[in-house]
Amino acid sequence: MLQRPEHQVAGHEAGSGTLGPLIDGSGNFYKPLNPSDERGAHELAFYTSFYSDTQVPQSIRSSFFPSFGGTRILPVPDSPDLLLPHLVLGDLLHAYSYPCVMDVKMGARTWYPSASEKDFAKYWKKDLESTTPLLGFRISGLQVHHESGRWKPYRDKVRKYTVTDVRQSLRQFVSKNPDKTPPDCALASSVYGGSNGILAQLLQLKSWFEDQTLFHFYSTSLLIAYDKGGKAAQVKLIDFAHVMKGEGIIDHNFLGGLCSFIKWVSEILTDSDPEAAAGPAEPEATVGPTENETH
Amino acid sequence: MLQRPEHQVAGHEAGSGTLGPLIDGSGNFYKPLNPSDERGAHELAFYTSFYSDTQVPQSIRSSFFPSFGGTRILPVPDSPDLLLPHLVLGDLLHAYSYPCVMDVKMGARTWYPSASEKDFAKYWKKDLESTTPLLGFRISGLQVHHESGRWKPYRDKVRKYTVTDVRQSLRQFVSKNPDKTPPDCALASSVYGGSNGILAQLLQLKSWFEDQTLFHFYSTSLLIAYDKGGKAAQVKLIDFAHVMKGEGIIDHNFLGGLCSFIKWVSEILTDSDPEAAAGPAEPEATVGPTENETH
């Protein structure tokens, strides 16, 4: 009954010799806790703390985080003799027939102050190769359904996404013809817009981040998802292996990236609205003669 | 008639062998353009561009930026034979009798993507020695007037400010007894609060930063100032030697730090309001067993 999630767009995949998440088809998502990797223990500690902290509003928990049902011992696929504890989480895509999914890793940096020098170097190198420092986020993966099937760019392509690619992907994600240039953004108003759309949810999340000083979410992703046709758009936070205590300070690293992401989503909405599109032209700023922000 | 500004709390000071700003007592502030330092040329280019860009709302320009009157050739103090061009800016403290001033350098990093490796190393080292990565801002200097005189901490002390020192300084800044522990925060509601107070101005500035993609303000400071007694609180941006083109991306580095600063100011307002202070205790979050965000 346990199987690999078909619509995973980023992160480790379960396979021969590799640990990865499983789903049971009944709404549960199992994430293995590798005993040789402290990240699993750290993520478990986060979920336990987060779900018992009375300072977290219930609406935030239920709107923006996977449900958490403790841990469960399960056999590892391809190694059924090997039993491992797994986090029991809600399967965010359970109710979807044709899930369109995007994984957006948040923050202008993914390293955290207490990282070892080695870890710092590893994370920072990855950051610099991505749009992370420039945009305050990077796309880690996506899949879109259209007329004829499912489109999912290769991981090594996504890893090299430039700012232009990010803009393009955010448009493709809400297009019925994601493989055309330019994509039609036909679903922008139903997925990104509206009172229950992605943008409205992002703004609600932003309000919480402007206030909360409990947690700093390093290397955490936004999972943006909807069912083909534009139904049930949702924004969820996932991946908490590097969450730190906030200690009275807001998570300006995540929040800055969130504001940046919000601006990009807003612009697609504006551009795909014919009335707004007839407004002023794109900004073109000149600052100084000697320096340019190239990356 | 030209003299050194008495209430400068950060940056270069004019002196023997050192170039620094001058004021004329009639509301003008002159900042020297050192021909051997491209930062001056860059700041001039910013002012010229900023004041001619029709996409910048007039209210933002007049509320949050010094006025700009081009350049003027002036003799350098102590070297009257040396004539140098100076930026002609508004003297932000001209109308004040007893200016209380704080310089807050914004952003979780002060280096910019196009910095040379040498510059990057220099800026990043200073950042890591300060609260910049942790808070998204650092205090570069301050002065407060109280009953008996003016209090201005030594620069080498300010340079080593910790998170605790920042909290303390933001309280001292609005206290009638800044040298006492704890300071009384007697001016918090009149300086930070109210419809024309610092917090209201910061929130207006934040709205613009959530939208504007024209400029990225690296190493730029907020000048927070009021006249002793709580009158005429103002927030201004100063120091534009490292402003870059935004190229369609919001300045999440500045904005994240601004949100963080806003949260700190809000907390002082809440804490100094007796009704709000009777509310819930300080947050105390525990996340994981192995990592702590220490700095």
Side-chain angles (χ1 to χ4, degrees), chain A residues 265-288:
Chain A
V265 169
S266 309
E267 280 186 347
I268 292 171
L269 266 174
T270 311
D271 292 352
S272 57
D273 169 356
E275 279 192 36
E282 283 285 295
E284 189 180 314
T286 49
V287 179

Side-chain angles (χ1 to χ4, degrees), chain A residues 182-231:
Chain A
D184 60 19
C185 293
L187 303 170
S189 62
S190 61
V191 174
Y192 290 156
S195 59
N196 297 315
I198 297 295
L199 182 60
Q201 293 181 48
L202 291 170
L203 291 170
Q204 198 194 334
L205 182 64
K206 170 171 166 263
S207 292
W208 184 59
F209 267 91
E210 285 172 345
D211 188 53
Q212 76 88 14
T213 60
L214 302 170
F215 305 105
H216 288 183
F217 294 90
Y218 290 104
S219 272
T220 292
S221 287
L222 290 183
L223 187 95
I224 310 285
Y226 69 93
D227 209 18
K228 183 186 171 179
K231 283 173 298 182

Side-chain angles (χ1 to χ4, degrees), chain A residues 287 291 293, chain B residues 42 112 114 214-216 218 242-246:
Chain A
V287 179
E291 289 168 306
E293 184 162 274
Chain B
H42 198 76
Y112 39 94
S114 63
L214 302 170
F215 305 105
H216 288 184
Y218 291 103
H242 300 295
V243 176
M244 305 289 149
K245 285 197 221 182

Side-chain angles (χ1 to χ4, degrees), chain B residues 14-82:
Chain B
S16 52
T18 324
L19 292 174
L22 299 168
I23 55 173
D24 64 4
S26 309
N28 291 314
F29 183 95
Y30 302 103
K31 195 168 176 178
L33 292 164
N34 186 343
S36 67
D37 186 338
E38 65 174 19
R39 289 180 296 181
H42 198 76
E43 186 158 29
L44 171 59
F46 166 77
Y47 271 107
T48 307
S49 161
F50 180 80
Y51 269 90
S52 61
D53 192 326
T54 54
Q55 293 175 86
V56 178
Q58 185 51 38
S59 61
I60 290 295
R61 223 176 258 142
S62 58
S63 300
F64 296 112
F65 289 80
S67 65
F68 172 58
T71 59
R72 193 169 150 190
I73 310 284
L74 293 174
V76 172
D78 302 332
S79 316
D81 292 343
L82 181 58

Side-chain angles (χ1 to χ4, degrees), chain B residues 226-254:
Chain B
Y226 68 93
D227 208 18
K228 183 184 172 180
K231 283 173 296 178
Q234 64 171 324
V235 173
K236 286 281 193 300
L237 271 70
I238 56 168
D239 296 340
F240 306 108
H242 300 295
V243 176
M244 305 289 149
K245 285 197 221 182
E247 293 180 347
I249 303 165
I250 68 161
D251 188 355
H252 54 84
N253 180 57
F254 188 105

Side-chain angles (χ1 to χ4, degrees), chain B residues 1-261:
Chain B
M1 204 166 82
L2 291 175
Q3 51 183 318
R4 293 166 198 152
E6 195 189 338
H7 304 294
Q8 199 185 343
V9 296
H12 298 289
E13 284 172 4
S16 52
T18 324
L19 292 174
L22 299 168
I23 55 173
D24 64 4
S26 309
N28 291 314
F29 183 95
Y30 302 103
K31 195 168 176 178
L33 292 164
N34 186 343
S36 67
D37 186 338
E38 65 174 19
R39 289 180 296 181
H42 198 76
E43 186 158 29
L44 171 59
F46 166 77
Y47 271 107
T48 307
S49 161
F50 180 80
Y51 269 90
S52 61
D53 192 326
T54 54
Q55 293 175 86
V56 178
Q58 185 51 38
S59 61
I60 290 295
R61 223 176 258 142
S62 58
S63 300
F64 296 112
F65 289 80
S67 65
F68 172 58
T71 59
R72 193 169 150 190
I73 310 284
L74 293 174
V76 172
D78 302 332
S79 316
D81 292 343
L82 181 58
L83 292 170
L84 267 191
H86 287 64
L87 288 172
V88 183
L89 306 172
D91 178 2
L92 303 174
L93 306 178
H94 173 58
Y96 288 8
S97 307
Y98 299 96
C100 301
V101 189
M102 183 179 279
D103 181 300
V104 186
K105 199 178 273 251
M106 300 303 293
R109 64 175 198 234
T110 61
W111 55 272
Y112 39 94
S114 63
S116 67
E117 286 221 7
K118 200 181 130 198
D119 280 347
F120 164 79
K122 188 182 77 179
Y123 288 112
W124 192 222
K125 183 167 180 289
K126 269 197 192 174
D127 287 353
L128 288 174
E129 288 166 355
S130 77
T131 63
T132 286
L134 206 53
L135 292 182
F137 65 87
R138 68 176 177 252
I139 293 178
S140 295
L142 72 152
Q143 104 171 359
V144 193
H145 285 276
H146 47 104
E147 304 301 317
S148 56
R150 176 159 59 136
W151 178 74
K152 187 175 168 181
Y154 297 121
R155 286 197 180 196
D156 58 341
K157 292 241 175 198
V158 178
R159 217 167 275 139
K160 290 174 193 155
Y161 269 10
T162 64
V163 171
T164 307
D165 296 328
V166 168
R167 179 182 283 117
Q168 178 76 354
S169 296
L170 288 170
R171 292 176 181 273
Q172 289 172 320
F173 187 62
V174 290
S175 290
K176 286 188 166 170
N177 59 349
D179 45 346
K180 293 283 189 305
T181 307
D184 59 20
C185 293
L187 302 171
S189 62
S190 60
V191 174
Y192 290 156
S195 59
N196 297 314
I198 297 294
L199 182 60
Q201 293 181 47
L202 291 171
L203 290 171
Q204 196 194 336
L205 183 63
K206 171 171 166 264
S207 293
W208 184 59
F209 268 91
E210 285 172 346
D211 188 54
Q212 76 88 12
T213 60
L214 302 170
F215 305 105
H216 288 184
F217 294 90
Y218 291 103
S219 271
T220 292
S221 287
L222 290 184
L223 187 95
I224 311 284
Y226 68 93
D227 208 18
K228 183 184 172 180
K231 283 173 296 178
Q234 64 171 324
V235 173
K236 286 281 193 300
L237 271 70
I238 56 168
D239 296 340
F240 306 108
H242 300 295
V243 176
M244 305 289 149
K245 285 197 221 182
E247 293 180 347
I249 303 165
I250 68 161
D251 188 355
H252 54 84
N253 180 57
F254 188 105
L255 176 57
L258 182 57
C259 291
S260 174
F261 188 69

